Amino acid sequence: MEKQLSALLALLPEAEALGAIDKLITDVTADSRTVIPGSLFICLKGATVDGHRFLAMAAAKGAVAALVEDVPEEAPAGMTLIKVADTRAAMELVVPYFLDYPGKKLRMLGLTGTNGKTTTTNIMRLILRKAGYKVGLIGTINIMIEDEVTVSHNTTPDVVDLQKTLYKMVQSGCAYCVMEVSSHALALQRVAGIEFDCGVLTNITQDHLDFHKTMENYRAAKSLLFEHLSDGTKPNKHAIFNMDDASSPLIMAKTKVPVLTYGKASTNDIYPLSFTVGAKAMQLELMTPVGEMDLELKITGEFNVYNVMSAVAAMLAEGISKEVICEVLDGFDGVPGRFQLVEAGQPYTVIVDYAHTPDGLENVLKTAREITRGKLWVVFGCGGDRDAKKRPIMGGLALDLADNIVVTSDNPRTEDPEAILDDICVALRTVPEGKTVVRLADRKEAIHHALAHAAAEDVILIAGKGHENYQILKDKTIHFDDREVVLEYWSGKND
């Protein structure tokens, strides 16, 4: 991909060019480490790092131009500086154009919501592939281009990485991209240059208030996906809403494209006629616009009923046949770290789940309770440097819904782990008779405690990290995988 610098400048009428503009740009990047000869380097000002400090490094690696807000006293020799008021705003215009707007060439299906996005996007990807399409996926766990998989670092990548990923999908022949769209990405314009074809709202419950400050702001950020669905020229657009979520009617009023709804009530386009939840499977009968779907699912839990309904709605909106949808759903056995059963030869049930919000924890605890014959254990914590208001709420939910609670660390980041536990334990000061609360900041020790004390027919839910195989501490990131801890513990027991 190549563009003339003068063509990029035409997108920025108020920019000031300091140097020659008759240059060929071969790449665009905001990371000085990835600069190649002919690059346009974008100087971004972050919370801790200012890209302007790396101008000389970028020039030494071959960058021929740079987008800047501040002009240095001495510019690197031979580098053209493009001065703009806001390099992030300029990046949102330049990068999609440089890559020929890949987000307008793919059918873009965007899912937003607090919980359920990962499971739902994975279901949709499998259905679309079964229908004969080449599909890309961008999500919390990974990025997939057909069978090529890379690990995700953000739910939604930044503008440069996202556009380059979409470009690669186009080059690989993909017709679809199924994408988890975070509230951060919408608020910070990371999805600039993308024309979405379908927007799906799973739910909106408390999360990310460290960033958004209020639930109103959080809802407003999610709403942006649906407000802009009518932008552009693509045909057959849809918005899909969970009508059992209080935010849906508010956001639905702001969209101008056809709507499909799902929920428990028979007034919805898609609703359950019946469902039976088992320990490892679920029977679900759905009413849909194309008739009844009788499903035997290898995933379980009422929250997964909603995930399935949202996926069905999106696929019907895309014209996928009922037969293909049912065939894939009957074979879908879940996503790593989402109500994942861990089998290590133990006499009780162990489940690992990513639930890290009040609503997420409540959902998985309620599902775990349905399959528990003995005592229900929960091992959980809350992330540091994140929404502290949810900590006592999650503590209260654990006390209400579980029998034995083990409070521990999640990703403490720069916070004192004990201080995070203090916040959670505000709700655990009065413990009803028959319940226990144990506080162990070391996550491995906490998991071992539950594994050592659980009895046959008990269920242990280890919540918060799910698929993650790391733990972020104050001064380092270490390898840590809840599932591995369980397997290693029982491997030692069985030796």
Side-chain angles (χ1 to χ4, degrees):
M1 181 59 64
E2 296 177 342
K3 289 282 191 298
Q4 289 293 328
L5 179 58
S6 57
L8 301 181
L9 266 173
L11 302 170
L12 310 168
E14 297 182 7
E16 179 185 357
L18 306 173
I21 62 171
D22 58 341
K23 294 181 175 180
L24 187 67
I25 302 300
T26 60
D27 189 35
V28 180
T29 182
D31 186 344
S32 59
R33 296 167 297 182
T34 65
V35 168
I36 62 173
S39 289
L40 170 67
F41 177 58
I42 305 172
C43 298
L44 299 178
K45 290 184 177 180
T48 57
V49 178
D50 185 348
H52 292 78
R53 291 170 42 200
F54 303 97
L55 266 175
M57 179 187 298
K61 294 185 73 173
V64 297
L67 278 173
V68 300
E69 292 177 19
D70 305 324
V71 177
E73 291 183 11
E74 195 169 326
M79 175 182 273
T80 300
L81 300 183
I82 310 299
K83 187 178 185 309
V84 295
D86 185 337
T87 51
R88 287 189 184 277
M91 175 177 68
E92 292 161 12
L93 295 170
V94 166
V95 177
Y97 170 81
F98 180 80
L99 294 166
D100 291 338
Y101 297 103
K104 295 183 179 182
K105 295 177 179 177
L106 297 157
R107 287 289 294 178
M108 296 293 306
L109 311 185
L111 281 84
T112 195
T114 309
N115 300 306
K117 298 186 297 296
T118 298
T119 296
T120 306
T121 51
N122 276 269
I123 293 172
M124 289 164 58
R125 169 184 173 268
L126 291 173
I127 292 172
L128 289 167
R129 293 191 76 188
K130 185 68 177 178
Y133 296 102
K134 290 188 175 182
V135 183
L137 179 146
I138 297 173
T140 304
I141 298 178
N142 50 37
I143 293 171
M144 306 178 77
I145 302 177
E146 283 288 273
D147 294 317
E148 180 187 340
V149 181
T150 56
V151 176
S152 293
H153 299 290
N154 293 304
T155 299
T156 311
D158 64 30
V159 172
V160 176
D161 287 343
L162 176 55
Q163 291 292 326
K164 288 183 175 180
T165 298
L166 296 176
Y167 176 78
K168 190 173 179 182
M169 290 179 182
V170 171
Q171 295 302 108
S172 299
C174 289
Y176 277 91
C177 174
V178 182
M179 179 175 168
E180 295 184 43
V181 187
S182 70
S183 57
H184 288 71
L186 291 161
L188 297 173
Q189 284 292 305
R190 290 181 193 162
V191 294
I194 296 174
E195 183 181 343
F196 284 97
D197 299 277
C198 181
V200 181
L201 181 67
T202 60
N203 47 63
I204 297 182
T205 60
Q206 183 171 332
D207 199 14
H208 303 306
L209 296 193
D210 53 308
F211 177 79
H212 296 288
K213 307 304 181 188
T214 67
M215 283 298 292
E216 289 74 18
N217 291 343
Y218 183 38
R219 184 185 297 113
K222 297 287 191 188
S223 180
L224 291 171
L225 174 63
F226 302 91
E227 292 175 43
H228 292 287
L229 272 176
S230 56
D231 296 351
T233 59
K234 292 186 192 175
N236 188 35
K237 295 191 178 187
H238 286 86
I240 292 163
F241 293 99
N242 170 8
M243 297 310 292
D244 293 338
D245 187 275
S247 294
S248 285
L250 302 174
I251 297 176
M252 189 188 301
K254 299 180 180 181
T255 192
K256 298 176 183 177
V257 301
V259 166
L260 280 173
T261 65
Y262 65 97
K264 286 185 176 178
S266 60
T267 50
N268 291 296
D269 297 302
I270 296 167
Y271 60 92
L273 294 168
S274 67
F275 66 92
T276 305
V277 173
K280 299 181 181 180
M282 176 171 60
Q283 292 179 317
L284 172 61
E285 190 176 2
L286 285 183
M287 178 58 75
T288 79
V290 295
E292 294 182 16
M293 292 185 182
D294 192 7
L295 303 167
E296 297 275 348
L297 298 160
K298 297 177 183 176
I299 54 175
T300 192
E302 185 173 321
F303 59 94
N304 272 321
V305 173
Y306 284 91
N307 294 336
V308 168
M309 288 194 293
S310 63
V312 168
M315 295 298 90
L316 290 178
E318 289 300 306
I320 307 301
S321 73
K322 172 184 171 181
E323 291 72 25
V324 168
I325 294 171
C326 290
E327 184 177 351
V328 171
L329 285 171
D330 283 339
F332 181 70
D333 58 2
V335 178
R338 296 329 193 252
F339 211 77
Q340 183 179 12
L341 293 162
V342 183
E343 300 290 353
Q346 76 275 15
Y348 42 72
T349 300
V350 178
I351 299 163
V352 170
D353 194 272
Y354 187 54
H356 61 285
T357 66
D359 183 63
L361 186 63
E362 182 179 15
N363 284 337
V364 294
L365 279 171
K366 284 181 175 178
T367 297
R369 172 59 72 190
E370 290 183 37
I371 64 172
T372 302
R373 294 182 179 178
K375 298 285 189 179
L376 175 57
W377 292 71
V378 61
V379 181
F380 81 103
C382 292
D385 302 333
R386 298 293 186 270
D387 180 10
K389 294 178 183 177
K390 69 184 181 183
R391 294 171 186 171
I393 298 172
M394 292 175 69
L397 287 166
L399 191 61
D400 287 344
L401 297 170
D403 302 302
N404 300 310
I405 300 99
V406 185
V407 185
T408 189
S409 294
D410 192 295
N411 291 317
R413 299 183 176 88
T414 65
E415 286 194 64
D416 177 1
E418 295 292 348
I420 298 173
L421 268 58
D422 286 342
D423 290 344
I424 297 170
C425 289
V426 165
L428 302 174
R429 290 171 179 163
T430 303
V431 181
E433 186 176 350
K435 297 198 175 192
T436 66
V437 174
V438 174
R439 172 176 167 157
L440 295 167
D442 184 291
R443 191 172 179 92
K444 185 173 184 178
E445 185 181 352
I447 294 171
H448 280 188
H449 175 85
L451 297 175
H453 291 88
E457 298 194 332
D458 285 0
V459 172
I460 301 173
L461 171 67
I462 306 172
K465 296 184 63 60
H467 65 280
E468 292 179 352
N469 61 1
Y470 57 85
Q471 189 175 33
I472 306 172
L473 309 178
K474 185 173 185 177
D475 56 348
K476 60 185 175 181
T477 297
I478 62 171
H479 179 81
F480 195 98
D481 186 315
D482 290 347
R483 184 173 170 275
E484 284 180 11
V485 172
V486 176
L487 294 173
E488 287 170 2
Y489 177 90
W490 275 97
S491 174
K493 287 285 185 183
N494 295 329
D495 285 346

